[in-house]
Amino acid sequence: NVKNYCKFLLEDLGYTGFRYDMVKGYAGRFNKIYNEYSKPTYSVGEYWDGSYDAVAAWIEATGKQSAAFDFPGKYAINKAFAENDMTQLVWKANGTTPQPAGMIHFGYAQYSVTFVDNHDTYRDGSKFNGNVIAANAFILCSPGTPCVFLPHWKSNKTEIKKLIAVRNAVGIHNMSAVKVLKTTRDCYMAEVTGSKGKLVVKIGSAMDSPSGYSNSDIKASGNGYCVWSKQGGSSEPVD
């Protein structure tokens, strides 16, 4: 019945894909069954857990037929801004190579839907010390599939539009390579390579600038973040 209901949603009602709610409540193999039968264009599961291993195990249980929300990354973002410690934005792939924190740091970037807040976590209040746009800059300038929370979009449309524009201009995708250039309490800096070029993103209060870029390359900036790129878009004026 569930398999046929999924197909009905797609073929009769025009849905494209699914958000599977509370997938911790049943075995991931069922999501594999549903997706292989109905063939949605995309699906994502809400496996609400801060453990990388737990979320990875669910993705594997679906036969990699579904993405998952990057709750481990979400909690890393919370911690970074609550404690003003940008080192929380970096995890080490295989224990050696610095990468952006969360499911995207190793092995599951293309199956990771990154986010800053959602309808459940938002009600807990702001955790970002006024750095909501900087938090969005982190996910929009990282691999994975970023999902911008509607209230954040409505309140910061101009700034988030700039971040989306530079992501698109550079061609960042869910498996884009990242080279972390600096990680200190007041600075996360990384170079991200897309299909059309590169950008450098800085998160944190440090006034550092990347080598090889000038103020004319700044495409977006604000409280606690700055993005440089030589690809597309107009440069942002510097005060």
Side-chain angles (χ1 to χ4, degrees), residues 106-117:
F106 181 67
Y108 294 93
Q110 77 181 96
Y111 304 105
S112 302
V113 175
T114 55
F115 69 103
V116 170
D117 252 336

Side-chain angles (χ1 to χ4, degrees), residues 61-191:
T62 73
K64 294 185 175 178
Q65 293 288 313
S66 182
F69 288 108
D70 189 356
F71 277 94
K74 154 62 173 173
Y75 286 125
I77 292 169
N78 283 4
K79 193 172 177 65
F81 288 101
E83 300 178 2
N84 288 316
D85 181 7
M86 299 306 119
T87 65
Q88 300 295 332
L89 296 178
V90 175
W91 291 2
K92 290 188 176 181
N94 276 335
T96 58
T97 307
Q99 286 289 280
M103 299 308 297
I104 62 175
H105 92 283
F106 181 67
Y108 294 93
Q110 77 181 96
Y111 304 105
S112 302
V113 175
T114 55
F115 69 103
V116 170
D117 252 336
N118 66 23
H119 62 287
D120 286 315
T121 63
Y122 185 62
R123 62 191 176 213
D124 297 332
S126 175
K127 299 157 284 289
F128 309 111
N129 286 324
N131 288 283
V132 164
I133 306 171
N136 278 279
F138 175 73
I139 67 168
L140 288 167
C141 297
S142 293
T145 302
C147 182
V148 176
F149 187 45
L150 184 60
H152 290 172
W153 168 256
K154 287 182 174 179
S155 299
N156 309 283
K157 189 176 292 187
T158 299
E159 295 86 352
I160 292 176
K161 266 188 173 181
K162 288 181 181 179
L163 292 166
I164 293 171
V166 67
R167 180 185 179 90
N168 290 338
V170 173
I172 295 177
H173 49 84
N174 60 15
M175 294 184 69
S176 285
V178 179
K179 180 181 180 182
V180 175
L181 303 176
K182 185 173 183 179
T183 175
T184 62
R185 286 189 63 89
D186 63 352
C187 183
Y188 163 87
M189 185 179 288
E191 181 183 70

Side-chain angles (χ1 to χ4, degrees), residues 207-227:
M207 299 302 290
D208 291 12
S209 298
S211 62
Y213 293 85
S214 66
N215 285 347
S216 63
D217 297 319
I218 295 174
K219 296 299 190 293
S221 66
N223 183 31
Y225 73 97
C226 191
V227 182

